[in-house]
Amino acid sequence: MPADPLHSATHPQRSTTSQPTSGSRASAIEVRRSARRRRTVSAYREGDRTVVLIPARMSEAEEQRWVSVMLDKLAAQESRRALGDTELAERAERLSAQYFNGRAQPRSVRWVTNQNTRWGSCTPSEGSIRLSHRLQGMPEYVVDYVLCHELAHLLVPGHGPGFWRLLEAYPKTERARGYLEGVVAAERLPHLSGVRNE
């Protein structure tokens, strides 16, 4: 069987996609395949684009999966320039306007370091929302989901059907919940020495 000339060239193969996933601020994604790259995947911002470097042998499905993973990693790195409480409150106000017609109006929104078993909490009677510091550094869509979850509690205190219907307004609810479930599952895994993440 002859070698695939696109995947065996000495120069990287390039393909550009104009629809970034996750919370990426970039307007385009450029995937660069390299025959010299064997196992590692990396990504960086270049102006208004995101460049993802992958091995030439990767399938289209692997490419799509790795592009999504690397966009999430970049978003997490960028959000590590952590929002202060003021920016967090402003973000909550924007999310309330966008998804709840401005009806969810907290009196305070802040980061806390004493929530290690939950991602956020809300006290509707006080209008206060608290987010766990463990969310800092996670992708923006995940932080936004937790904010929306707590904002929804200002309107519907419990977790009944009405609450979940209200939260459906946020389009990345299922994706963010999956991300958080993955984080919890990863924390339960035994730490294996000598395992490299490439």
Side-chain angles (χ1 to χ4, degrees):
M1 176 182 248
D4 179 355
L6 291 177
H7 292 108
S8 62
T10 56
H11 298 294
Q13 174 191 352
R14 297 179 183 205
S15 61
T16 303
T17 306
S18 61
Q19 281 196 325
T21 56
S22 77
S24 172
R25 293 187 196 97
S27 61
I29 300 163
E30 180 178 337
V31 177
R32 295 181 187 170
R33 291 176 173 265
S34 170
R36 285 181 283 168
R37 187 175 283 270
R38 297 284 177 221
R39 295 173 18 180
T40 60
V41 176
S42 61
Y44 60 91
R45 303 282 191 213
E46 190 175 79
D48 66 346
R49 314 178 278 184
T50 301
V51 177
V52 181
L53 307 170
I54 64 171
R57 64 173 173 71
M58 275 193 181
S59 68
E60 290 295 317
E62 289 175 310
E63 174 183 319
Q64 289 176 6
R65 184 177 72 81
W66 275 106
V67 165
S68 179
V69 166
M70 297 312 289
L71 287 175
D72 284 349
K73 283 188 176 187
L74 283 174
Q77 289 169 359
E78 289 165 353
S79 70
R80 280 192 190 108
R81 295 173 271 147
L83 301 171
D85 289 347
T86 302
E87 292 87 3
L88 197 61
E90 290 169 356
R91 195 165 179 168
E93 187 178 332
R94 283 194 306 273
L95 291 168
S96 175
Q98 186 172 0
Y99 298 112
F100 306 113
N101 297 319
R103 294 181 299 133
Q105 297 189 0
R107 291 189 195 102
S108 70
V109 182
R110 62 191 174 92
W111 295 107
V112 294
T113 57
N114 62 350
Q115 289 189 27
N116 294 315
T117 59
R118 59 171 86 178
W119 299 111
S121 62
C122 173
T123 306
S125 61
E126 297 173 3
S128 63
I129 290 174
R130 295 160 304 282
L131 295 191
S132 171
H133 71 288
R134 296 181 306 142
L135 288 165
Q136 293 174 333
M138 290 189 187
E140 289 181 7
Y141 74 92
V142 176
V143 176
D144 286 352
Y145 161 72
V146 177
L147 276 171
C148 283
H149 185 106
E150 302 310 332
L151 287 166
H153 277 310
L154 293 175
L155 304 172
V156 180
H159 284 107
F163 171 83
W164 293 110
R165 272 194 305 275
L166 188 62
L167 196 53
E168 285 175 1
Y170 182 64
K172 295 183 179 176
T173 291
E174 289 305 313
R175 184 175 183 199
R177 288 184 64 171
Y179 184 99
L180 293 171
E181 287 170 6
V183 169
V184 170
E187 289 172 350
R188 293 182 182 145
L189 291 175
H191 295 288
L192 303 174
S193 60
V195 174
R196 288 181 62 188
N197 181 15
E198 295 194 46

